[in-house]
Amino acid sequence: MTRHHLTPTRDHVVQTISRDSPPALQVLPGDTVVVESLDSGGHLEPQQVPGEERPRMFVPREGHCLTGPVEVVGARPGDVLSVHFAALTPGPWGWTASGGTDTWLNQRLGVDTARGDLLYAIDAAAGVARNQLGHEVRLAPFLGVVGVACDVPGELSTVPPRSESGGNIDCRDLVAGSTLYLPVNVPGALLTVGDGHAAQGHGEVGGTAIECPMTSELVLDLADDPPLRSVHAVTPSARLTFGFDADLNAATAAALSDMLTWLEHLLSVPRPQALALASAVVDLHVTQVANRTWGVHAALHHDALPPGVLDRA
């Protein structure tokens, strides 16, 4: 298998999602791609003081600065692309911004007119990020945006995650060692990645995580007989299913429905019994409330049942 390297030069980045974007790289199933990405804002230089405006890749900015697309040769609609995160290394700096925008949540929290900015020095070797206030945060790096193209015309925003393609999922559990599965909608899949996060809580409640550049080692392949044809993942600790919707209740139902289907597959039990078991062993998390389309993920931990019970794919 071949190892590739993709850097965030002007010809290798996008800020919208489109099935018509020319690929920055072509790979074969099973290949490894080392992808460098700028922070979500596409900053070309680190901030020197919190909240400082620095030169950006895109002016005006329309969305996340993403590296790609990567074409997986032979991927066809109906396939499922597996993206294995072999390694995720954050860059040396990051930032978090909150408040200052007129959203209902910011109004409810009393921060619609007041902005908060934190600037972090990231020490990947020590596994911590330190902000200007002296707070240390343990690193748990992941990519906020990992998605494929949709089979619709035009340019789509990078902001909302989509059930048919993934994208701005912002799931903190997708750390190194995880594999994310994405439905293929167009020939070649056209994968884009970016929005590196050095650390984030479930929910991304302030609207941003510790936003940072990232170097990601990804192994791209086509899944063989996956249990689901929707967005799902296997992490070092759990199986995950996802729901995305402007209605948090609908997102919850979607994530839980896919988890029940997975349990039916794993345990050969009827759906009502799968739900009864899920009530004891499945955790629901609010993935993020930052992207207009909210996210929920259901988690079935690998040790939720006795050894061997969950060994099927």
Side-chain angles (χ1 to χ4, degrees):
M1 303 301 178
T2 304
R3 185 179 179 89
H4 309 265
H5 197 155
L6 190 57
T7 57
T9 61
R10 187 63 181 82
D11 292 337
H12 296 164
V13 293
V14 295
Q15 61 172 342
T16 59
I17 305 299
S18 173
R19 67 184 183 186
D20 299 318
S21 294
L25 177 69
Q26 288 182 325
V27 304
L28 294 175
D31 283 359
T32 296
V33 186
V34 177
V35 181
E36 296 180 30
S37 54
L38 302 177
D39 71 303
S40 60
H43 288 100
L44 300 173
E45 301 173 2
Q47 296 176 10
Q48 301 302 309
V49 295
E52 180 185 24
E53 187 59 45
R54 303 294 286 179
R56 296 177 186 262
M57 177 67 75
F58 294 106
V59 180
R61 179 188 173 195
E62 297 178 14
H64 298 84
C65 183
L66 305 178
T67 306
V70 177
E71 177 184 350
V72 181
V73 176
R76 293 290 180 265
D79 291 338
V80 174
L81 180 70
S82 70
V83 182
H84 178 70
F85 305 103
L88 296 163
T89 305
W93 74 285
W95 58 272
T96 305
S98 68
T101 56
D102 189 18
T103 66
W104 75 266
L105 183 57
N106 283 345
Q107 290 177 7
R108 180 65 177 82
L109 299 175
V111 296
D112 52 309
T113 60
R115 180 181 166 101
D117 290 288
L118 296 174
L119 180 61
Y120 285 87
I122 297 174
D123 187 338
V128 297
R130 301 179 183 89
N131 66 32
Q132 80 273 15
L133 303 179
H135 306 135
E136 288 193 352
V137 177
R138 287 190 299 275
L139 300 182
F142 70 97
L143 290 170
V145 178
V146 184
V148 295
C150 299
D151 190 18
V152 297
E155 296 183 342
L156 303 179
S157 171
T158 66
V159 174
R162 296 177 173 89
S163 59
E164 70 272 28
S165 60
N168 195 20
I169 299 172
D170 283 332
C171 179
R172 62 165 290 179
D173 292 332
L174 296 177
V175 295
S178 302
T179 302
L180 178 65
Y181 297 90
L182 299 168
V184 175
N185 306 297
V186 301
L190 298 182
L191 176 76
T192 51
V193 303
D195 188 26
H197 292 169
Q200 180 200 291
H202 286 307
E204 198 179 13
V205 295
T208 57
I210 299 181
E211 309 289 329
C212 67
M214 189 79 78
T215 300
S216 308
E217 183 177 338
L218 310 176
V219 181
L220 307 183
D221 210 343
L222 298 178
D224 182 20
D225 192 26
L228 299 168
R229 296 283 166 175
S230 54
V231 179
H232 62 289
V234 178
T235 76
S237 61
R239 292 169 171 85
L240 305 182
T241 55
F242 297 91
F244 312 114
D245 201 279
D247 182 338
L248 195 60
N249 290 330
T252 300
L256 183 56
S257 178
D258 278 351
M259 182 56 75
L260 296 185
T261 300
W262 207 343
L263 281 169
E264 290 178 273
H265 172 81
L266 287 167
L267 304 176
S268 299
V269 297
R271 198 167 183 83
Q273 287 186 336
L275 178 57
L277 183 61
S279 198
V281 300
V282 170
D283 295 321
L284 290 176
H285 298 278
V286 176
T287 317
Q288 54 76 24
V289 296
N291 301 331
R292 304 175 192 169
T293 299
W294 286 15
V296 171
H297 62 279
L300 174 65
H301 287 270
H302 300 317
D303 61 358
L305 293 172
V309 175
L310 296 176
D311 284 348
R312 293 178 59 187

